């Protein structure tokens, strides 16, 4: 080899190293007023806003762009990730696995399969589809947990999902552990048995496997926030800005729907989720719709109470100071509530999942920021679990509280596709009325205790109005 060709090879290698090194950078941005915050959230991925400082994650090119737009910013230098322990070989087959470690991708997939196979009367494994990275065999996986998993019963369907931002890993292990405990403690733990008997629970622990295992399938140490491209590079597409938006339409940021988004959209279309939670990290609070505008959802009070119930249980069961982040309400002013915020009150987001599920599917979704630290040291995972176990079970139980019914054809008993409106509460603009699940004709209108008037309407049929239907004050079950 000539000296010249060695020289060229060295340059090529340098280029390869340089392009692989383009990783997300965390930046603090000084925000003078609300309009600047909203504009920033259009440009880049905002992760927090508190005391006039926004935290964003972006590319070097986006940093240049923000500087051009006149933002004052500084790069956040965090200590190198430490305390990430991967689970030992064979962990996925243990009867009582330790939960202070991160599974490899293979262990995760094996654990999901094993749970479904070990509990054939309670659990089904669902492959929701491939992730974006075609160089890896990553799939979006879910477990369906219920007493009759093959039958679409007249029960509310609840969906829990985590880690669509790949480096927000605490919820991933927490969701896996929730599935494990729901199945292993069925029959011995009364509240868990009741929940599994009365609810169809869907759990997707890892919504962005490409991001979490960006550094290889055997480690989460190099996890990144964003989705990847087909060849496994950082796509800079934020999974929580990629959904159709009530205000800005199908593709609010101009990006096509990523495979991870399509998988979630397909699942939402094929099921009838009445309640869901999307778990993240980067703060400690519950965030509820809407994200895209300051308008309040007709169920604003119910959303607030649901979120406060989670935050309160987590504060009681977690270490001092846990789940009590206060974010000043930015829409209409007022004081903050520790551990709870309206989405737009915090910072506006277009293309987020909670608005998508709530607006386009008549569901009710909240976003749970479960740990301030994104890539959480593994030894802290059990603390997050202990803090949130009761809150999670109460959240699933919330799907039992409201008005439940079945709409069937009086002549043949077939389920009817009908719309249930709470008179004086629901609004067309918010699309807050719920529909029956056409599989069994059941509906579940989650509500706080009180008396409600219902209007039940179906195409080509006489509208029925029911007055003074009572939602009793029986509280959470755990
Ligand atoms: Zn997140």
């Amino acid at each position: 080899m000539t000296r010249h060709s060695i020289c060229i090879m060295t340059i090529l290698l340098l280029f390869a190293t340089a392009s692989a090194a383009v990783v997300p950078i965390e930046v603090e941005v000084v925000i003078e007023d609300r309009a600047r915050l909203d504009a920033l959230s259009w440009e880049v991925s905002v992760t927090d806003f508190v005391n006039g400082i926004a935290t964003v994650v972006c590319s070097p090119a986006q940093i240049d762009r923000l500087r051009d737009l006149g933002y004052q910013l500084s790069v956040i230098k965090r200590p190198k990730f430490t305390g990430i322990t991967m689970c030992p070989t064979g962990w996925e087959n243990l009867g009582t696995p330790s939960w202070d470690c991160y599974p490899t991708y293979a262990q995760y997939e094996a654990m999901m399969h094993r749970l479904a196979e070990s509990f054939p009367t309670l659990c089904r494994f669902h492959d929701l589809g491939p992730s974006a990275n075609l160089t890896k065999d990553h799939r979006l996986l879910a477990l369906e947990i219920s007493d009759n998993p093959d039958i679409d019963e007249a029960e509310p369907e609840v969906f829990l999902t985590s880690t669509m931002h790949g480096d927000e890993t605490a919820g991933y292990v927490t969701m896996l552990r929730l599935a494990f405990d729901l199945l292993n403690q069925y029959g011995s733990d009364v509240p868990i048995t009741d929940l599994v008997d009365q609810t169809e629970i869907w759990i997707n622990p890892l919504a962005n496997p490409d991001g979490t295992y960006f550094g290889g399938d055997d480690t989460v140490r190099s996890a990144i926030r964003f989705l990847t491209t087909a060849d496994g590079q950082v796509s800079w597409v934020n999974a929580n800005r990629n959904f159709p938006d009530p205000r800005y339409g199908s593709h609010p940021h101009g990006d096509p729907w990523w495979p991870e988004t399509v998988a979630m959209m397909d699942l939402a279309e094929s099921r009838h989720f009445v309640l869901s939670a999307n778990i993240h990290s980067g703060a400690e609070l519950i965030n509820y719709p809407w994200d895209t505008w300051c308008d309040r959802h007709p169920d604003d009070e119910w959303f607030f109470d649901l979120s406060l119930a989670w935050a309160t249980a987590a504060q009681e069961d977690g270490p001092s100071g846990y789940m009590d982040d206060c974010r000043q309400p930015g829409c209409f002013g007022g004081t903050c509530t520790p551990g709870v915020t309206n989405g737009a009150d915090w910072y506006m987001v277009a293309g987020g999942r909670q608005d998508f599920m709530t607006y386009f599917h008549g569901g009710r979704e909240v976003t749970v920021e479960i740990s301030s630290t994104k890539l959480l040291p593994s030894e802290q995972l059990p603390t997050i679990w202990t803090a949130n176990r009761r809150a999670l079970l109460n959240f699933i139980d919330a799907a039992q509280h409201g008005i439940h019914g079945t709409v069937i054809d009086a002549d043949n008993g077939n389920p009817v596709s009908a719309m249930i409106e709470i008179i004086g509460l629901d609004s067309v603009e918010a699309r807050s009325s719920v529909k029956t699940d056409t599989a069994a004709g059941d509906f579940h209108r989650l509500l706080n205790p009180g008396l409600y008037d219902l209007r039940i309407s179906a195409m080509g049929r006489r509208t029925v109005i029911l007055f003074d239907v009572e939602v009793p004050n029986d509280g959470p079950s755990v």
Side-chain angles (χ1 to χ4, degrees):
M1 197 177 288
T2 65
R3 198 187 172 96
H4 183 66
S5 65
I6 289 171
C7 190
I8 288 171
M9 277 189 64
T10 309
I11 290 168
L12 286 173
L13 279 172
L14 278 174
F15 270 119
T17 311
S19 80
V22 178
V23 292
I25 302 165
E26 211 175 357
V27 177
E28 280 184 351
V29 185
V30 177
I31 297 295
E32 299 85 7
D33 57 42
R34 179 75 198 199
R36 289 286 275 171
L37 178 65
D38 294 343
L40 181 75
S41 191
W42 265 111
E43 291 290 333
V44 289
S45 180
V46 175
T47 63
D48 198 359
F49 174 64
V50 60
N51 298 331
I53 302 289
T55 308
V56 307
V57 184
C58 52
S59 67
Q62 286 172 319
I63 289 180
D64 293 342
R65 164 104 179 126
L66 293 184
R67 288 209 168 101
D68 288 347
L69 291 170
Y71 285 102
Q72 204 188 108
L73 45 89
S74 54
V75 173
I76 300 173
K77 291 194 178 65
R78 296 207 188 270
K80 212 169 159 37
F81 295 126
T82 54
I84 303 298
T85 304
M86 301 306 289
C87 298
T89 304
W91 172 87
E92 67 277 20
N93 294 317
L94 297 173
T96 51
S98 61
W99 293 97
D100 55 354
C101 60
Y102 287 100
T104 64
Y105 182 77
Q107 286 175 324
Y108 161 59
E109 200 172 72
M111 170 76 88
M112 295 287 278
H113 276 292
R114 185 195 135 203
L115 287 174
E117 286 157 11
S118 303
F119 297 92
T121 60
L122 296 176
C123 187
R124 290 292 172 271
F125 175 94
H126 293 278
D127 184 341
L128 308 180
S131 63
N133 185 350
L134 298 177
T135 71
K136 300 268 183 70
D137 190 21
H138 289 164
R139 317 286 304 181
L140 299 194
L141 309 176
L143 294 177
E144 176 190 6
I145 298 172
S146 193
D147 58 342
N148 292 302
D150 291 330
I151 303 171
D152 197 339
E153 297 178 290
E155 295 176 347
E157 298 179 28
V158 176
F159 183 38
L160 298 158
T161 172
S162 185
T163 314
M164 67 179 347
H165 295 143
D167 59 344
E168 300 171 8
T169 49
Y172 164 35
V173 178
T174 302
M175 285 300 99
L176 202 51
R177 187 167 182 177
L178 175 67
F180 187 94
D181 276 19
L182 287 174
L183 293 166
N184 280 281
Q185 292 174 21
Y186 180 85
S188 59
D189 181 295
V190 173
I192 281 181
T193 307
D194 287 347
L195 286 180
V196 173
D197 282 345
Q198 296 164 5
T199 324
E200 292 177 15
I201 305 164
W202 284 67
I203 300 176
N204 159 246
L206 185 55
N208 179 4
D210 296 343
T212 300
Y213 292 98
F214 189 72
D217 283 355
D218 292 336
T219 181
V220 302
R221 279 186 197 90
S222 304
I224 59 161
R225 173 179 185 79
F226 297 96
L227 298 163
T228 76
T229 58
D231 60 356
Q233 302 300 308
V234 185
S235 72
W236 306 104
V237 171
N238 179 343
N240 212 26
R241 309 287 186 274
N242 196 232
F243 284 89
D245 185 88
R247 187 178 185 181
Y248 297 103
S250 299
H251 302 280
H253 294 280
D255 299 310
W257 295 323
W258 239 243
E260 289 82 349
T261 308
V262 172
M264 288 298 169
M265 290 170 68
D266 287 349
L267 180 68
E269 189 66 36
S270 69
R271 305 306 309 178
H272 194 85
F273 295 122
V274 301
L275 180 66
S276 49
N278 188 7
I279 302 184
H280 291 247
S281 294
E284 290 171 2
L285 52 79
I286 320 301
N287 163 1
Y288 63 88
W290 305 106
D291 274 329
T292 196
W293 46 38
C294 282
D295 297 0
R296 292 319 199 219
H297 190 281
D299 288 351
D300 186 63
E301 202 178 312
W302 176 87
F303 266 120
F304 178 84
D305 291 349
L306 177 80
S307 305
L308 187 64
W310 187 315
T312 303
Q315 288 160 8
E316 289 170 0
D317 295 354
S320 170
Y322 178 67
M323 200 58 90
D324 68 354
D325 280 354
C326 244
R327 296 293 180 263
Q328 290 303 321
C331 285
F332 309 111
T335 54
C336 67
T337 304
V340 179
T341 185
N342 168 275
D345 256 337
W346 190 10
Y347 58 90
M348 284 193 185
V349 162
R353 219 195 72 167
Q354 69 177 8
D355 284 8
F356 169 75
M357 294 294 281
T358 303
Y359 185 83
F360 292 101
H361 287 283
R364 300 291 185 269
E365 178 157 303
V366 300
T367 304
V368 179
E369 301 281 352
I370 208 167
S371 74
S372 295
T373 306
K374 288 186 181 174
L375 192 50
L376 193 72
S378 25
E379 67 174 20
Q380 293 178 35
L381 290 167
T383 307
I384 295 296
W385 168 254
T386 303
N388 289 284
R389 181 186 186 276
R390 189 165 57 102
L392 277 162
L393 298 182
N394 280 338
F395 181 81
I396 298 169
D397 179 66
Q400 304 294 333
H401 297 269
I403 298 172
H404 308 265
T406 304
V407 183
I408 53 168
D409 188 305
D411 293 333
N412 56 27
N414 288 339
V416 170
S417 172
M419 175 84 85
I420 291 82
E421 178 196 349
I422 306 297
I423 299 169
L425 178 68
D426 280 326
S427 83
V428 175
E429 295 76 31
R431 298 196 185 180
S432 60
S433 297
V434 302
K435 292 177 184 158
T436 53
D437 182 345
T438 48
D442 56 317
F443 69 87
H444 309 272
R445 182 60 171 87
L446 311 188
L447 291 160
N448 280 337
L451 291 175
Y452 299 92
D453 300 334
L454 272 68
R455 181 183 289 123
I456 303 172
S457 51
M459 191 82 86
R461 294 168 192 267
R462 191 170 52 84
T463 295
V464 175
I465 295 182
L466 302 174
F467 293 102
D468 291 336
V469 179
E470 185 180 8
V471 176
N473 192 358
D474 49 3
S477 70
V478 183

